[in-house]
């Protein structure tokens, strides 16, 4: 093997296309397969996202409404039946706090947590999270548990 017989590995070079815009004699000179005039024939052309050829774009035709409240607090909802499931699976004995919920993947460590009232709770639990619905609070206390708001 020497410099005279080097060639690229099979399959590594795939450009077998005819180069455009390299003179009339090549058969692909002149307009270089771009056609005549118009934005698409110019260099540097890139179609703007949402551009509809001058027609009023959908994003501007549809009315705007509502707003985003920057002071909104998002709570991670956890239902009573989910807590009961944790007790049934032996993952919780008597207290449920943020640490336990994060361990079991029910909430993130920075989440605000709200206990919701779906399902029923038979276990006596001390639950300490950020918020409770009235029905959840009632159900926990009815089961002999304790409610602690953080």
């Amino acid at each position: 093997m020497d410099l005279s017989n080097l060639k690229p590995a099979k399959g590594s070079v795939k450009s077998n296309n005819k180069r455009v815009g390299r003179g009339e004699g090549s058969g692909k000179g002149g307009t270089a397969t771009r056609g005549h005039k118009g934005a698409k024939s110019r260099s540097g052309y890139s179609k703007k996202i949402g551009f509809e050829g001058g027609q009023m774009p959908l994003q501007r035709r549809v009315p705007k409404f509502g707003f985003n409240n920057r002071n909104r607090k998002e709570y991670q909802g956890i239902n009573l039946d989910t807590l009961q499931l944790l007790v049934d699976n032996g993952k919780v004995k008597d207290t449920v706090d943020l640490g336990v919920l994060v361990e079991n993947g029910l909430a993130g460590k920075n989440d605000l947590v709200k206990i919701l009232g779906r399902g029923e709770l038979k276990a006596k639990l001390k639950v300490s999270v950020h918020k409770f619905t009235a029905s959840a609070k009632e159900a926990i206390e009815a089961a002999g548990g304790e409610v602690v708001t953080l």
Side-chain angles (χ1 to χ4, degrees):
M1 177 193 277
D2 58 17
L3 290 178
S4 67
N5 61 8
L6 282 179
K7 60 181 184 191
K10 187 163 172 52
S12 69
V13 176
K14 57 178 178 251
S15 183
N16 204 0
N17 306 335
K18 194 164 213 184
R19 291 172 71 208
V20 298
R22 293 294 180 270
E24 285 303 319
S26 70
K28 291 260 196 318
T31 60
T33 72
R34 285 169 173 253
H36 296 280
K37 296 189 191 169
K40 280 186 179 174
S41 73
R42 318 281 187 210
S43 70
Y45 166 76
S46 68
K47 185 169 157 273
K48 303 289 181 281
I49 286 179
F51 184 65
E52 298 183 17
Q55 171 176 304
M56 185 60 68
L58 182 69
Q59 190 216 340
R60 291 186 59 199
R61 285 197 303 262
V62 176
K64 296 190 289 185
F65 64 93
F67 78 109
N68 286 328
N69 185 354
R70 50 184 2 174
N71 298 318
R72 178 176 169 78
K73 282 192 166 65
E74 276 288 338
Y75 287 91
Q76 178 64 42
I78 296 174
N79 280 295
L80 291 175
D81 54 4
T82 314
L83 293 181
Q84 185 59 48
L85 201 65
L86 287 178
V87 174
D88 295 344
N89 295 341
K91 293 183 177 173
V92 171
K93 291 273 188 284
D94 53 356
T95 57
V96 175
D97 58 7
L98 209 53
V100 172
L101 297 174
V102 171
E103 267 173 40
N104 290 297
L106 294 173
K109 63 179 168 62
N110 297 324
D111 284 353
L112 298 173
V113 175
K114 184 171 186 174
I115 303 295
L116 310 173
R118 186 188 72 199
E120 52 179 317
L121 185 67
K122 300 179 196 87
K124 179 182 174 185
L125 293 176
K126 178 184 179 184
V127 186
S128 53
V129 294
H130 301 97
K131 273 200 169 179
F132 298 86
T133 59
S135 59
K137 199 171 197 174
E138 216 171 84
I140 292 168
E141 286 166 351
E146 191 184 332
V147 170
V148 180
T149 306
L150 297 178

